[in-house]
Amino acid sequence: MMLEDLYRLLKSGHVQAQGVVDTMTQPIVVLDQNFCVTTANNAFIRSFKVNRDDILGESFFGLGDGQWDIAELRNLLASVIPKAAAVIGFEVKHDFPKIGLRTFLIDARRLIHPNDNGTNILVLFDDVTDRQHHDAEMEFIVSETRHRMNNLFAVVRSIAMQTSVEDRTAVDYRETLLGRLETTFRAQEIAATRDAADFEDVLRLAVGELGVGRLSCNGPAIELESPKVLSISLIFHELTTNAVKYGAFSTPEGKVHVTWTLDGTAPERPYLTCEWREENGPRVKLPERKGYGTTLMKGTSAQLGGDMELTYAPGGLTAVLKIPVQ
């Protein structure tokens, strides 16, 4: 074989080897025994936005602003050749000059040579920045879902435990419990998907189809913070349930008028005052005992930092709710 043929063969082999390296989508560099760059693939050039001529022959630890000059990484690479070791998954998080804050996992191995005495090191970089962000987001979502489920279970358990069974049939208990749970789930859905909700929307949703043509609302537009939506919904659900059993919604002519105002005399803590007034229902009598519904409404309004007054006038129940909206 003539010298020219040998040169052509060697050059062809080099081109093929470089082509294999350039085919890799992950950034790769090859270092000599002095840790200087002998070659780099196209993915490395693109990923770190460098010129090939600027890095060939340069010390790996001096590239860029010295982002790879890490004592532990130096020691690991130094052991690759003499100890036939390998670096696997060494994490480097750095604010790179041209590509910003990124996280890479580094693998390094001795480059295989036909006579098994090669002194070059192949270094591969795996950009895991987006993957870590995605994993962190998924972990947050799972954690938040678990937290919400625990909170919802606590609410459901509380409602179930405090829904009285005294003087009730199984059917009555079931309907009462399911009604409260349905209201809870609807309110939770609103609170989970919005930062705030319109007060009138929450009111009408809690009253439901019973209010069509029989519920009149009058008041200014007020945005409720999402944490208050469930509490307000439960209060109006209890008022509706009471109206169905004993009040205005128990007769065809019965109506409910709800009016509200916003007291802004103290801008840092404005108060909502809402009046629920029933008419054209059966004659109202003072209840013989205080049920869970009354306890829930008064307790919930107190938890919101407000109060609630119930007036059992013969012509119809009147409930006045006063709570801070901020």
Side-chain angles (χ1 to χ4, degrees), residues 11 17 24 50 70 79 85 90 107 128 224 233 274 300 313 317:
K11 183 177 180 181
M24 299 292 291
V50 294
I70 303 169
S79 68
F90 181 84
D107 290 357
V128 296
L224 289 176
S233 297
C274 177
T300 301
L317 172 70

Side-chain angles (χ1 to χ4, degrees), residues 23-41:
T23 302
M24 299 292 291
T25 58
Q26 293 167 305
I28 293 174
V29 294
V30 176
L31 310 180
D32 63 17
Q33 58 186 347
N34 296 316
F35 306 115
C36 292
V37 178
T38 62
T39 187
N41 71 344

